[in-house]
Amino acid sequence: MSFRDLNVVVIETGRTNVRAGLGLYDLLRVPSVDIPARVGLRRNASGEHLNRSQQPIPPGGNIPKRNVGDPSRVSSLPQHSEPNASVNDYLVGAALDEAIAAGQDVSISWPFADGDVRDWTQAEAIWKYILFSQLQRRRVQNESPVILSMFSGLARTTYEKICQIFFERFNSAGLAIIERPVAQIYAANSLTGVVVDIDEEKTDITPISDGTTLHHPRTTIPIGIGDCQNYLAHLLRSNQSVLSTFSPPENPMDPESLHLILLDLVKQLCSEGHVKVPSDGETAVVEDDGVTDIAAIVMAGKEKAVIESGMKKKASAKASAAEQARAREIEALDLLTVQFREHTLTVGKERHRLCEPLFNPKLLDGVRGISPLRSTSPRLPLQEAVALAVGQVDVDLRQSLWMGLFVTGNITRQIKGTFYWAIFGMLTPFVTGIGVALQSRVAPFVVTPELQTEVQPRFVRILNIPEYYSEYRDIGNGLACFLGSSITAKVSPNDLSSGISSVGLCQIIFNDTGGRNYVSKADYSMRGPHSIIEMSPALL
């Protein structure tokens, strides 16, 4: 059985975000739904959770705590399980946002924060909201198969429970499950490499060989973009322009409120692209020599940037000597003027120190906003954790793994930079940022001059989403999991590109006439939830 591309639903399940889209097109699109992976229950004045009829939910027995294995995977994000709550009792998406904005007492839970499923009712509430409220699917006549990306290393019983929910509760036409790191490496047009997925408070490091996750070296470190933002908010306390605006000496603000304001400022700086990550020996931008390759610019979608650059050069040429001197001074100090909460603020180079805690976790000691639970957890620097993961792999595989270092996560959508590489005399742009910073820091762990063998890695190559995915151009690698899942659902065995056809990219595809890579309704009717085990290559 095959399905129409326009009916296929792609859902990416992450620790703190869930993304989804309907339909597969010739030009693969970015997700149309992107919500925080959280749910909420209203509470009354007595602290009792309320159902959708605003009545107290009867108390139930304690829900046994799920074992997520490695303690480093356990999140500090809140989790409140209510045994007698139904799916419809939970607030999700816009309804939850409105309740919080209205100042209602809401108990918030993050069911996927541990890299597993903490509460099945809450997970079902999120998936149901996406399918029926956002994507407008109908349960009675649901003709949409679903490809769902989930975390690596889940138990088989978890796969079976997911399968049961999608067929019995959502009446899905078909279901396929792909591991997040595998989908992410597919998006970079590769089958082998190391995926570094930086989330809000965790970073997952997963080696992949020939499209298969290597589970034994897979590791998680308790550092994420949230820690980096708290750190930069801490540094901004030394910026007198910022401090005097919000906490003047004659009317000082309490430290907690000041930190929350500075945290909002940090998030604005990140979202507006004002932060970069300095690396050891960062590649400088090559100046153009006045020759413009129009065709290359159009193909890369850089017309607007080139026009703005030309206008800026003309304006600079007309400026007075004093104006040019001031411009050079601002450039040297890397000063930036931003509008924030009706104030004009000036920030300097300290904003580029955002990601320092990833490479030196000791900087987080004493920083406000770091959970006490997580501050006691052992924290390896990111470069050491990546080197440790690769070091646990067989020696003959390490060289190929280092040839595919892929950094993804929301942080890569906010922190980017561009350098240029001369290829056949033409300047070609490469989007970089935190990947280059990590590349320079893992180099000492890779190259061993005294050990020169055929399998000895000689350098590290970073991967990025190719620019021919036009809708993903210039937005970093943060949507790699969704793109990789879409590629997996879209490409048929006859359409595999030469770069990935040797193993067969589509381990899970809906246009496989044999139906061996996904679970159909007929499969589920015959074999039940266990059918997902037989139809998921990652579990065989």
Side-chain angles (χ1 to χ4, degrees):
M1 179 180 181
S2 61
F3 298 95
R4 293 179 58 199
D5 283 354
L6 296 182
N7 285 335
V8 175
V9 171
V10 179
I11 301 178
E12 173 199 344
T13 306
R15 290 176 180 268
T16 55
N17 285 86
V18 179
R19 303 181 177 96
L22 174 64
L24 300 171
Y25 302 85
D26 291 337
L27 294 177
L28 296 176
R29 299 181 179 180
V30 296
S32 57
V33 180
D34 190 341
I35 63 171
R38 63 183 183 179
V39 298
L41 281 176
R42 291 188 176 94
R43 287 185 293 209
N44 59 20
S46 303
E48 298 174 299
H49 287 131
L50 305 177
N51 59 23
R52 59 177 174 172
S53 302
Q54 303 301 303
Q55 299 298 317
I57 299 174
N62 293 328
I63 297 178
K65 202 169 184 179
R66 293 180 61 84
N67 181 17
V68 295
D70 186 354
S72 66
R73 295 173 65 90
V74 178
S75 171
S76 64
L77 291 175
Q79 176 63 31
H80 307 279
S81 293
E82 189 64 60
N84 291 327
S86 70
V87 171
N88 294 329
D89 293 334
Y90 284 102
L91 301 174
V92 186
L96 177 56
D97 295 338
E98 291 169 3
I100 295 173
Q104 299 179 17
D105 187 4
V106 180
S107 173
I108 297 176
S109 298
W110 299 79
F112 304 116
D114 289 343
D116 204 327
V117 182
R118 288 169 157 182
D119 186 292
W120 284 109
T121 306
Q122 295 173 359
E124 183 181 337
I126 292 176
W127 290 327
K128 178 182 177 182
Y129 172 80
I130 287 174
L131 284 173
F132 302 127
S133 296
Q134 294 297 297
L135 300 182
Q136 299 296 306
R137 300 296 87 196
R138 293 190 302 165
R139 188 187 185 283
V140 176
Q141 192 176 0
N142 190 351
E143 298 179 353
S144 292
V146 176
I147 180 165
L148 177 71
S149 65
M150 290 297 293
F151 312 98
S152 294
L154 298 182
R156 293 190 173 199
T157 54
T158 300
Y159 274 77
E160 292 176 350
K161 182 65 175 179
I162 293 171
C163 186
Q164 182 181 12
I165 288 174
F166 273 85
F167 281 104
E168 297 185 12
R169 303 288 293 175
F170 303 152
N171 193 30
S172 296
L175 176 66
I177 300 177
I178 183 172
E179 293 184 330
R180 283 179 56 86
V182 175
Q184 288 162 338
I185 203 76
Y186 285 171
N189 195 29
S190 181
L191 287 170
T192 300
V194 183
V195 176
V196 180
D197 189 356
I198 304 174
D199 205 276
E200 182 66 22
E201 59 168 26
K202 301 287 182 181
T203 296
D204 296 310
I205 302 165
T206 310
I208 297 174
S209 178
D210 288 337
T212 302
T213 301
L214 304 179
H215 288 283
H216 67 280
R218 190 169 52 88
T219 187
T220 298
I221 57 174
I223 309 174
I225 188 173
D227 302 295
C228 298
Q229 291 172 340
N230 279 305
Y231 174 69
L232 183 51
H234 175 75
L235 292 182
L236 288 175
R237 290 173 176 268
S238 61
N239 185 312
Q240 293 304 313
S241 169
V242 174
L243 195 63
S244 60
T245 300
F246 297 108
S247 184
E250 64 275 10
N251 186 24
M253 183 180 291
D254 69 275
E256 185 62 33
S257 298
L258 177 61
H259 182 78
L260 293 177
I261 290 177
L262 295 179
L263 198 55
D264 286 342
L265 173 59
V266 169
K267 292 177 180 178
Q268 177 177 316
L269 291 173
C270 291
S271 64
E272 294 178 354
H274 298 312
V275 176
K276 67 178 182 179
V277 188
S279 62
D280 299 336
E282 186 175 28
T283 309
V285 175
V286 179
E287 297 289 342
D288 70 79
D289 55 1
V291 179
T292 304
D293 189 326
I294 302 297
I297 290 171
V298 172
M299 287 295 294
K302 304 289 184 181
E303 306 97 315
K304 184 178 178 182
V306 172
I307 293 171
E308 290 177 351
S309 176
M311 293 175 65
K312 189 178 295 185
K313 289 180 180 179
K314 290 180 181 178
S316 177
K318 295 178 181 178
S320 65
E323 290 172 336
Q324 291 183 11
R326 175 58 179 165
R328 285 193 295 270
E329 179 185 0
I330 292 176
E331 185 177 357
L333 295 174
D334 201 2
L335 299 179
L336 174 71
T337 301
V338 295
Q339 295 295 322
F340 175 72
R341 295 190 179 183
E342 301 181 351
H343 296 285
T344 301
L345 305 175
T346 301
V347 294
K349 292 182 177 180
E350 70 272 10
R351 68 185 187 276
H352 301 313
R353 299 179 62 186
L354 173 76
C355 292
E356 285 185 355
L358 289 172
F359 308 114
N360 184 9
K362 292 182 179 179
L363 295 174
L364 294 174
D365 294 343
V367 172
R368 187 178 298 273
I370 305 299
S371 167
L373 172 66
R374 297 177 59 234
S375 63
T376 58
S377 303
R379 294 189 292 248
L380 277 178
L382 180 57
Q383 64 273 23
E384 292 185 19
V386 173
L388 181 63
V390 177
Q392 297 179 59
V393 176
D394 292 341
V395 175
D396 56 341
L397 292 179
R398 295 176 190 173
Q399 186 175 33
S400 59
L401 291 179
W402 284 122
M403 289 293 288
L405 180 62
F406 185 58
V407 183
T408 181
N410 284 336
I411 194 171
T412 63
R413 300 176 65 185
Q414 301 171 349
I415 301 172
K416 304 185 293 290
T418 303
F419 72 91
Y420 291 80
W421 190 267
I423 299 180
F424 302 116
M426 183 177 70
L427 297 179
T428 303
F430 287 79
V431 177
T432 66
I434 192 168
V436 170
L438 178 58
Q439 178 190 37
S440 63
R441 288 169 172 83
V442 298
F445 299 95
V446 176
V447 181
T448 309
E450 63 273 12
L451 180 62
Q452 293 296 333
T453 64
E454 291 183 359
V455 297
Q456 166 66 25
R458 289 171 174 79
F459 61 93
V460 180
R461 180 170 68 101
I462 57 172
L463 301 177
N464 287 296
I465 293 177
E467 288 209 348
Y468 49 73
Y469 294 114
S470 57
E471 293 209 9
Y472 292 82
R473 188 183 297 152
D474 296 334
I475 61 173
N477 297 327
L479 299 179
C481 184
F482 185 85
L483 174 59
S485 300
S486 301
I487 294 171
T488 305
K490 173 69 174 175
V491 183
S492 66
N494 295 328
D495 295 332
L496 292 174
S497 65
S498 59
I500 44 185
S501 60
S502 59
V503 177
L505 169 61
C506 291
Q507 296 180 345
I508 307 171
I509 45 178
F510 294 121
N511 45 4
D512 172 20
T513 55
R516 294 182 300 274
N517 298 318
Y518 68 93
V519 179
S520 65
K521 284 184 179 179
D523 295 325
Y524 189 81
S525 298
M526 287 189 294
R527 294 189 287 272
H530 187 72
S531 55
I532 192 66
I533 305 299
E534 301 173 16
M535 303 297 182
S536 296
L539 298 179
L540 297 180

